[in-house]
Amino acid sequence: MTEPLQFPAFDPIALQIGPLALRWYALAYIAGLVGGWQLMKRLARILTADGRVRVSGEQVDDLLTWVTLGVILGGRLGYVLFYKPSFYFANPSEILQVWQGGMAFHGGLLGVILAMVLFARRHKLPFLALGDMVATVVPLGLLFGRLANFINGELWGRPSDVEWAMVFPHGGPLPRHPSQLYEAALEGLVLLVVMVVLFYTRPVLRNRHGALGGIFLIGYGAARFTVEFFREPDSFLGLLWAGASMGQLLSLPMIAIGAGLLVWALRQPVPSLPRQAA
């Protein structure tokens, strides 16, 4: 019997200059936001060229700030409310200590949606068109985030005897699924390719606002639900209703809402082009 793989000895600090340390996790957030911002500027030009929605580069620049706040505030509050409410209600000062870890994707998603609603109203842009652009680039941030989870040796998988299972430093002596890499592949790379290809090559979806947002919700929800079978449940929650994890229970309404949004969007006529001034 061969020895199980050992988790690589990654240094969680990517760069240190004197007392200032830049961690891989922070670098992943920065790379996801900046990469998504640049990609969304390209998508905005495509939408503008279609002639039905006009989104300027300056508006995309402004949106980055709103989305960043939505990700951080929503992600943290989502973790507090969905995963450890009793602990944080008893220790409210710990809520702001984000450097100790604890962010929830589903909370971040709600925070981004709220930020987009406010932004769309302020700039008089169609919310669903804005949502389609953001949904197309979100998997890029998920890809970097899950890779950072792996580098940190956190959120490991369930015990397994597959050849690529590995022993994590804080996961006990048993080899486990590297479920962070599964999530990086499915929620990140695969979903990113699907969303970008559909945005670029399927005007029938791009011009029916809400369709791509619905596809993202279905895709992420299905990927997360699947990978949760290989990911170790949070120790403070365990498995919940019907043996499902919290991640799976939160993903089910995402899939249902996404399917409803996609069906609704495809039933809508393509918005007509605005009339040109005489």
PDB file of all heavy atoms in Angstrom, residues 214-229:
ATOM      1  N   GLY A 214     -29.573  33.646 -14.575  1.00  0.00           N
ATOM      2  CA  GLY A 214     -30.224  32.390 -14.201  1.00  0.00           C
ATOM      3  C   GLY A 214     -29.324  31.183 -14.421  1.00  0.00           C
ATOM      4  O   GLY A 214     -29.266  30.270 -13.593  1.00  0.00           O
ATOM      5  N   ILE A 215     -28.593  31.186 -15.539  1.00  0.00           N
ATOM      6  CA  ILE A 215     -27.672  30.080 -15.817  1.00  0.00           C
ATOM      7  C   ILE A 215     -26.573  30.027 -14.766  1.00  0.00           C
ATOM      8  O   ILE A 215     -26.169  28.934 -14.322  1.00  0.00           O
ATOM      9  CB  ILE A 215     -27.080  30.231 -17.235  1.00  0.00           C
ATOM     10  CG1 ILE A 215     -28.171  30.001 -18.274  1.00  0.00           C
ATOM     11  CG2 ILE A 215     -25.918  29.256 -17.450  1.00  0.00           C
ATOM     12  CD1 ILE A 215     -27.760  30.330 -19.694  1.00  0.00           C
ATOM     13  N   PHE A 216     -26.073  31.191 -14.360  1.00  0.00           N
ATOM     14  CA  PHE A 216     -25.046  31.195 -13.312  1.00  0.00           C
ATOM     15  C   PHE A 216     -25.577  30.599 -12.013  1.00  0.00           C
ATOM     16  O   PHE A 216     -24.902  29.782 -11.372  1.00  0.00           O
ATOM     17  CB  PHE A 216     -24.552  32.619 -13.046  1.00  0.00           C
ATOM     18  CG  PHE A 216     -23.733  32.711 -11.786  1.00  0.00           C
ATOM     19  CD1 PHE A 216     -22.423  32.274 -11.749  1.00  0.00           C
ATOM     20  CD2 PHE A 216     -24.299  33.199 -10.599  1.00  0.00           C
ATOM     21  CE1 PHE A 216     -21.677  32.321 -10.581  1.00  0.00           C
ATOM     22  CE2 PHE A 216     -23.563  33.249  -9.428  1.00  0.00           C
ATOM     23  CZ  PHE A 216     -22.241  32.813  -9.424  1.00  0.00           C
ATOM     24  N   LEU A 217     -26.775  30.997 -11.595  1.00  0.00           N
ATOM     25  CA  LEU A 217     -27.337  30.481 -10.346  1.00  0.00           C
ATOM     26  C   LEU A 217     -27.513  28.966 -10.409  1.00  0.00           C
ATOM     27  O   LEU A 217     -27.207  28.251  -9.451  1.00  0.00           O
ATOM     28  CB  LEU A 217     -28.671  31.159 -10.050  1.00  0.00           C
ATOM     29  CG  LEU A 217     -28.614  32.647  -9.698  1.00  0.00           C
ATOM     30  CD1 LEU A 217     -30.024  33.223  -9.570  1.00  0.00           C
ATOM     31  CD2 LEU A 217     -27.841  32.872  -8.402  1.00  0.00           C
ATOM     32  N   ILE A 218     -27.991  28.472 -11.549  1.00  0.00           N
ATOM     33  CA  ILE A 218     -28.141  27.023 -11.706  1.00  0.00           C
ATOM     34  C   ILE A 218     -26.781  26.345 -11.672  1.00  0.00           C
ATOM     35  O   ILE A 218     -26.575  25.337 -10.979  1.00  0.00           O
ATOM     36  CB  ILE A 218     -28.852  26.698 -13.037  1.00  0.00           C
ATOM     37  CG1 ILE A 218     -30.282  27.250 -13.032  1.00  0.00           C
ATOM     38  CG2 ILE A 218     -28.872  25.184 -13.276  1.00  0.00           C
ATOM     39  CD1 ILE A 218     -30.958  27.177 -14.388  1.00  0.00           C
ATOM     40  N   GLY A 219     -25.821  26.899 -12.428  1.00  0.00           N
ATOM     41  CA  GLY A 219     -24.500  26.285 -12.527  1.00  0.00           C
ATOM     42  C   GLY A 219     -23.760  26.259 -11.210  1.00  0.00           C
ATOM     43  O   GLY A 219     -23.202  25.219 -10.818  1.00  0.00           O
ATOM     44  N   TYR A 220     -23.753  27.407 -10.509  1.00  0.00           N
ATOM     45  CA  TYR A 220     -23.057  27.426  -9.229  1.00  0.00           C
ATOM     46  C   TYR A 220     -23.750  26.519  -8.224  1.00  0.00           C
ATOM     47  O   TYR A 220     -23.095  25.757  -7.502  1.00  0.00           O
ATOM     48  CB  TYR A 220     -22.978  28.835  -8.648  1.00  0.00           C
ATOM     49  CG  TYR A 220     -22.358  28.820  -7.264  1.00  0.00           C
ATOM     50  CD1 TYR A 220     -20.976  28.827  -7.117  1.00  0.00           C
ATOM     51  CD2 TYR A 220     -23.144  28.718  -6.119  1.00  0.00           C
ATOM     52  CE1 TYR A 220     -20.394  28.754  -5.861  1.00  0.00           C
ATOM     53  CE2 TYR A 220     -22.572  28.645  -4.857  1.00  0.00           C
ATOM     54  CZ  TYR A 220     -21.202  28.668  -4.743  1.00  0.00           C
ATOM     55  OH  TYR A 220     -20.631  28.573  -3.499  1.00  0.00           O
ATOM     56  N   GLY A 221     -25.081  26.619  -8.154  1.00  0.00           N
ATOM     57  CA  GLY A 221     -25.814  25.800  -7.189  1.00  0.00           C
ATOM     58  C   GLY A 221     -25.591  24.315  -7.408  1.00  0.00           C
ATOM     59  O   GLY A 221     -25.372  23.554  -6.463  1.00  0.00           O
ATOM     60  N   ALA A 222     -25.599  23.879  -8.677  1.00  0.00           N
ATOM     61  CA  ALA A 222     -25.393  22.464  -8.978  1.00  0.00           C
ATOM     62  C   ALA A 222     -23.961  22.035  -8.655  1.00  0.00           C
ATOM     63  O   ALA A 222     -23.737  20.952  -8.101  1.00  0.00           O
ATOM     64  CB  ALA A 222     -25.710  22.196 -10.444  1.00  0.00           C
ATOM     65  N   ALA A 223     -22.986  22.887  -9.000  1.00  0.00           N
ATOM     66  CA  ALA A 223     -21.586  22.556  -8.717  1.00  0.00           C
ATOM     67  C   ALA A 223     -21.340  22.476  -7.219  1.00  0.00           C
ATOM     68  O   ALA A 223     -20.705  21.535  -6.723  1.00  0.00           O
ATOM     69  CB  ALA A 223     -20.668  23.598  -9.353  1.00  0.00           C
ATOM     70  N   ARG A 224     -21.844  23.455  -6.475  1.00  0.00           N
ATOM     71  CA  ARG A 224     -21.632  23.466  -5.027  1.00  0.00           C
ATOM     72  C   ARG A 224     -22.334  22.288  -4.366  1.00  0.00           C
ATOM     73  O   ARG A 224     -21.770  21.633  -3.471  1.00  0.00           O
ATOM     74  CB  ARG A 224     -22.146  24.782  -4.448  1.00  0.00           C
ATOM     75  CG  ARG A 224     -22.024  24.931  -2.937  1.00  0.00           C
ATOM     76  CD  ARG A 224     -20.580  25.025  -2.469  1.00  0.00           C
ATOM     77  NE  ARG A 224     -20.482  25.115  -1.032  1.00  0.00           N
ATOM     78  CZ  ARG A 224     -20.454  26.271  -0.347  1.00  0.00           C
ATOM     79  NH1 ARG A 224     -20.500  27.434  -1.000  1.00  0.00           N
ATOM     80  NH2 ARG A 224     -20.350  26.278   0.956  1.00  0.00           N
ATOM     81  N   PHE A 225     -23.560  22.002  -4.800  1.00  0.00           N
ATOM     82  CA  PHE A 225     -24.307  20.876  -4.223  1.00  0.00           C
ATOM     83  C   PHE A 225     -23.547  19.578  -4.428  1.00  0.00           C
ATOM     84  O   PHE A 225     -23.448  18.743  -3.522  1.00  0.00           O
ATOM     85  CB  PHE A 225     -25.691  20.791  -4.863  1.00  0.00           C
ATOM     86  CG  PHE A 225     -26.615  19.814  -4.195  1.00  0.00           C
ATOM     87  CD1 PHE A 225     -27.468  20.235  -3.177  1.00  0.00           C
ATOM     88  CD2 PHE A 225     -26.642  18.475  -4.569  1.00  0.00           C
ATOM     89  CE1 PHE A 225     -28.320  19.332  -2.550  1.00  0.00           C
ATOM     90  CE2 PHE A 225     -27.486  17.578  -3.942  1.00  0.00           C
ATOM     91  CZ  PHE A 225     -28.322  18.007  -2.927  1.00  0.00           C
ATOM     92  N   THR A 226     -22.957  19.401  -5.625  1.00  0.00           N
ATOM     93  CA  THR A 226     -22.233  18.174  -5.943  1.00  0.00           C
ATOM     94  C   THR A 226     -20.957  18.047  -5.123  1.00  0.00           C
ATOM     95  O   THR A 226     -20.676  16.995  -4.526  1.00  0.00           O
ATOM     96  CB  THR A 226     -21.893  18.135  -7.442  1.00  0.00           C
ATOM     97  OG1 THR A 226     -23.112  18.192  -8.204  1.00  0.00           O
ATOM     98  CG2 THR A 226     -21.125  16.879  -7.790  1.00  0.00           C
ATOM     99  N   VAL A 227     -20.166  19.127  -5.072  1.00  0.00           N
ATOM    100  CA  VAL A 227     -18.878  19.066  -4.375  1.00  0.00           C
ATOM    101  C   VAL A 227     -19.068  18.878  -2.878  1.00  0.00           C
ATOM    102  O   VAL A 227     -18.211  18.290  -2.206  1.00  0.00           O
ATOM    103  CB  VAL A 227     -18.052  20.335  -4.668  1.00  0.00           C
ATOM    104  CG1 VAL A 227     -16.765  20.348  -3.840  1.00  0.00           C
ATOM    105  CG2 VAL A 227     -17.701  20.399  -6.144  1.00  0.00           C
ATOM    106  N   GLU A 228     -20.199  19.321  -2.330  1.00  0.00           N
ATOM    107  CA  GLU A 228     -20.441  19.163  -0.895  1.00  0.00           C
ATOM    108  C   GLU A 228     -20.461  17.700  -0.471  1.00  0.00           C
ATOM    109  O   GLU A 228     -20.245  17.390   0.693  1.00  0.00           O
ATOM    110  CB  GLU A 228     -21.752  19.837  -0.500  1.00  0.00           C
ATOM    111  CG  GLU A 228     -21.703  21.356  -0.463  1.00  0.00           C
ATOM    112  CD  GLU A 228     -20.976  21.900   0.752  1.00  0.00           C
ATOM    113  OE1 GLU A 228     -21.050  21.274   1.826  1.00  0.00           O
ATOM    114  OE2 GLU A 228     -20.314  22.951   0.615  1.00  0.00           O
ATOM    115  N   PHE A 229     -20.707  16.777  -1.401  1.00  0.00           N
ATOM    116  CA  PHE A 229     -20.650  15.350  -1.069  1.00  0.00           C
ATOM    117  C   PHE A 229     -19.219  14.915  -0.755  1.00  0.00           C
ATOM    118  O   PHE A 229     -19.006  13.877  -0.119  1.00  0.00           O
ATOM    119  CB  PHE A 229     -21.200  14.505  -2.222  1.00  0.00           C
ATOM    120  CG  PHE A 229     -22.698  14.548  -2.343  1.00  0.00           C
ATOM    121  CD1 PHE A 229     -23.301  15.144  -3.442  1.00  0.00           C
ATOM    122  CD2 PHE A 229     -23.503  13.992  -1.364  1.00  0.00           C
ATOM    123  CE1 PHE A 229     -24.682  15.177  -3.565  1.00  0.00           C
ATOM    124  CE2 PHE A 229     -24.898  14.016  -1.470  1.00  0.00           C
ATOM    125  CZ  PHE A 229     -25.475  14.624  -2.576  1.00  0.00           C
TER     126      PHE A 229
END
